[in-house]
């Protein structure tokens, strides 16, 4: 999508972090921007501050995402750029996890993307002036890190969905990008704030506590740097968005171990 001005961008998880930065970047490019988020107060505050539309949405709930799409159509007629970005990070080694730990992360990070595609892809494909899907995965979608099993699983799935979609939409007017950041300075390490009551553990498990204690000490790049790269990838029609080139050696190592195993 070379021309963004006047078109419509929808960003899930737009009240905070990377989503908020993408909303700013697309607004500054002259787009109509809708941010969708489950957290009501930050959503209202961010929408007012940025001068964009905010729609309370739970991406884990297909009806909620369809209601978002219906509101976008009612207001703007269609959507052009869909950023399936809402996500949560849960910690804990696999042997310590509960089914609720798995369900919460997969509901948001995996099903959120599926719901977004289900409700918005028909709109993008029907546009004469095309569209673009940006799915937020992670470097954890390209190489697995210990202590975040459900997160790794969800992000590998988002990469696979994005690769499949890009193959299926090749030659169409709808482009696809997958965003795989390393650490970005956001509120991701406070993700438990958005965990539904029904999926909380009766007792917070010690494995999760230890993993969360580790990850909260990490610091990364500014979300605006990521948003600039997302903007450029949409305009240039690039699939991979890798914000941390220094981490790509982990992907090389993984790929080499697979290839080596085949030639053993
Ligand atoms: N921050 C990082 O280091 C990093 C690295 C790689 C990938 N990511 C990915 O970036 C994306 C954005 O995360 P962030 O780092 O900006 O974190 P963040 O917590 O600052 O923002 C995430 C937003 O998603 C919203 N959200 C959570 N559950 C939701 C739901 N069910 N429905 C709708 N909205 C929901 C939150 O309220 C929040 O506003 C996520 O997919 C995350 O996995 C982040």
């Amino acid at each position: 999508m070379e021309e963004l001005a006047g078109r419509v961008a929808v960003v899930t998880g737009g009240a905070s972090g990377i989503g908020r930065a993408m909303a700013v970047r697309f607004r500054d490019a002259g787009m109509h921007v809708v941010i969708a988020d489950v957290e009501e107060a930050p959503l209202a505050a961010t929408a007012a501050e940025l001068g964009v539309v905010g729609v309370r949405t739970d991406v884990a709930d297909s009806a909620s995402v369809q209601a978002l799409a219906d509101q976008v159509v009612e207001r703007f007629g269609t959507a052009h750029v869909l950023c399936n970005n809402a996500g949560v990070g849960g910690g804990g080694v696999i042997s310590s996890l509960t089914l609720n730990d798995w369900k919460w992360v997969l509901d948001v990070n995996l099903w959120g993307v599926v719901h977004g595609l289900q409700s918005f892809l028909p709109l993008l494909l029907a546009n004469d002036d095309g569209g673009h899907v940006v799915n937020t995965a992670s470097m954890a979608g390209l190489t697995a890190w210990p202590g975040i099993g459900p997160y790794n699983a969800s992000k590998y799935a988002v990469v696979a969905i994005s690769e499949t979609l890009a193959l299926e939409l090749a030659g169409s007017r709808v482009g696809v990008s997958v965003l795989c950041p390393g650490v970005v300075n956001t509120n991701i390490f406070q993700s438990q704030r958005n965990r539904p009551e029904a999926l909380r553990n009766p007792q917070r498990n010690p494995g999760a506590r230890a993993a969360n204690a580790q990850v909260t000490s990490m610091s990364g790049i500014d979300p605006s740097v990521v948003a600039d790269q997302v903007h450029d990838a949409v305009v240039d029609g690039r699939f991979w968005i890798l914000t941390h080139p220094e981490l790509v050696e982990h992907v090389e190592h993984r790929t080499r171990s697979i290839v080596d195993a085949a030639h053993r």
Side-chain angles (χ1 to χ4, degrees):
M1 291 206 61
E2 285 170 20
E3 185 54 58
L4 296 183
R7 305 237 159 88
V8 181
V10 178
V11 183
T12 68
S16 174
I18 296 171
R20 184 186 190 285
M22 292 198 282
V24 170
R25 188 65 190 84
F26 287 132
R27 180 205 62 186
D28 291 350
M31 298 188 81
H32 303 288
V33 177
V34 178
I35 57 173
D37 206 287
V38 76
E39 220 180 359
E40 299 240 32
L43 173 67
T46 304
E49 192 187 328
L50 303 189
V52 302
V53 176
V55 178
R56 204 262 171 194
T57 308
D58 180 357
V59 298
D61 174 3
S62 61
S64 178
V65 178
Q66 187 55 49
L68 165 68
D70 293 345
Q71 285 191 55
V72 170
V73 168
E74 200 177 311
R75 182 142 189 166
F76 295 111
T78 188
H80 297 89
V81 174
L82 168 67
C83 299
N84 279 318
N85 167 78
V88 292
V93 294
I94 288 176
S95 57
S96 77
L97 294 178
T98 65
L99 288 181
N100 279 351
D101 293 327
W102 284 96
K103 186 159 170 40
W104 172 49
V105 173
L106 292 174
D107 274 358
V108 179
N109 294 10
L110 169 54
W111 281 101
V113 171
V114 174
H115 294 153
L117 294 175
Q118 211 54 31
S119 294
F120 283 92
L121 210 45
L123 300 176
L124 271 58
L125 288 168
N127 291 337
D128 288 334
D129 48 357
H132 200 100
V133 176
V134 180
N135 292 327
T136 302
S138 168
M139 283 307 290
L142 300 173
T143 177
W145 307 83
I148 50 169
Y151 189 80
N152 292 332
S154 70
K155 296 303 187 179
Y156 268 67
V158 172
V159 170
I161 289 168
S162 306
E163 289 183 302
T164 308
L165 192 63
L167 291 169
E168 292 174 356
L169 297 183
S172 80
R173 287 186 298 261
V174 177
V176 182
S177 300
V178 64
L179 170 61
C180 300
V183 181
V184 184
N185 294 331
T186 69
N187 294 315
I188 188 93
F189 299 123
Q190 284 79 49
S191 289
Q192 296 282 341
R193 71 193 189 279
N194 289 314
R195 186 163 174 160
E197 209 49 55
L199 295 181
R200 286 185 187 273
N201 292 326
Q203 266 185 332
R204 235 166 112 35
N205 71 49
R209 234 181 357 253
N212 283 334
Q214 256 175 10
V215 289
T216 41
S217 63
M218 289 166 84
S219 100
I221 61 173
D222 193 83
S224 63
V225 176
V226 179
D228 284 343
Q229 295 182 11
V230 169
H231 168 271
D232 293 353
V234 171
V235 171
D236 298 343
R238 270 183 286 111
F239 179 73
W240 295 107
I241 311 174
L242 297 169
T243 62
H244 289 65
E246 70 277 13
L247 294 178
V248 172
E249 69 184 51
H250 295 283
V251 183
E252 261 179 341
H253 176 78
R254 174 175 183 267
T255 308
R256 198 170 314 114
S257 74
I258 296 169
V259 174
D260 288 351
H263 296 303
R264 196 168 290 271

